[in-house]
Amino acid sequence: KLDSIDFPWELRDTSETWEDKYEKIKNYFVDNQSNQLPSRINGEMNALYYWLMNQKMFHKKGKLENDKYEKLKALGVDFESNDRIDRSW
């Protein structure tokens, strides 16, 4: 039955480290001259956006390591704003 609905049998690729994701966001910010990530790109979910939202959530819960917080803050990530998903992308 699950095959009939194209169930994804493989697990998500979790081989990317925190640093890998950080570097991708850093490069995106530099390439686009912006510190904002769209929630969707060409109608597809932007995994980096959701990863960054998770980092903000971890920070609010006191679970984001300070060095990681400082690295993201140095990129211009705003941890104080109430982020809402931008569906316009």
Side-chain angles (χ1 to χ4, degrees):
K1 285 184 173 183
L2 293 176
D3 286 330
S4 70
I5 61 167
D6 296 323
F7 182 82
W9 290 104
E10 285 90 41
L11 296 175
R12 290 188 290 163
D13 180 12
T14 57
S15 61
E16 282 189 305
T17 66
W18 190 95
E19 289 294 327
D20 294 333
K21 299 279 191 178
Y22 167 80
E23 286 298 322
K24 284 184 177 183
I25 286 178
K26 181 174 143 183
N27 291 336
Y28 180 90
F29 286 179
V30 169
D31 292 347
N32 292 282
Q33 300 177 342
S34 171
N35 65 348
Q36 300 293 313
L37 287 170
S39 63
R40 295 186 172 274
I41 297 175
N42 298 325
E44 297 291 320
M45 193 173 97
N46 181 359
L48 281 180
Y49 172 87
Y50 291 97
W51 179 85
L52 185 56
M53 294 303 103
N54 282 333
Q55 302 313 298
K56 289 181 175 188
M57 180 186 66
F58 293 149
H59 171 69
K60 286 180 183 176
K61 293 182 175 185
K63 296 185 180 202
L64 182 64
E65 297 168 18
N66 194 53
D67 63 319
K68 293 177 178 177
Y69 166 79
E70 292 297 332
K71 285 180 109 171
L72 291 170
K73 190 80 171 162
L75 291 180
V77 172
D78 181 4
F79 283 89
E80 306 308 318
S81 69
N82 290 328
D83 290 294
R84 295 202 171 112
I85 295 175
D86 179 3
R87 303 270 185 215
S88 65
W89 289 82

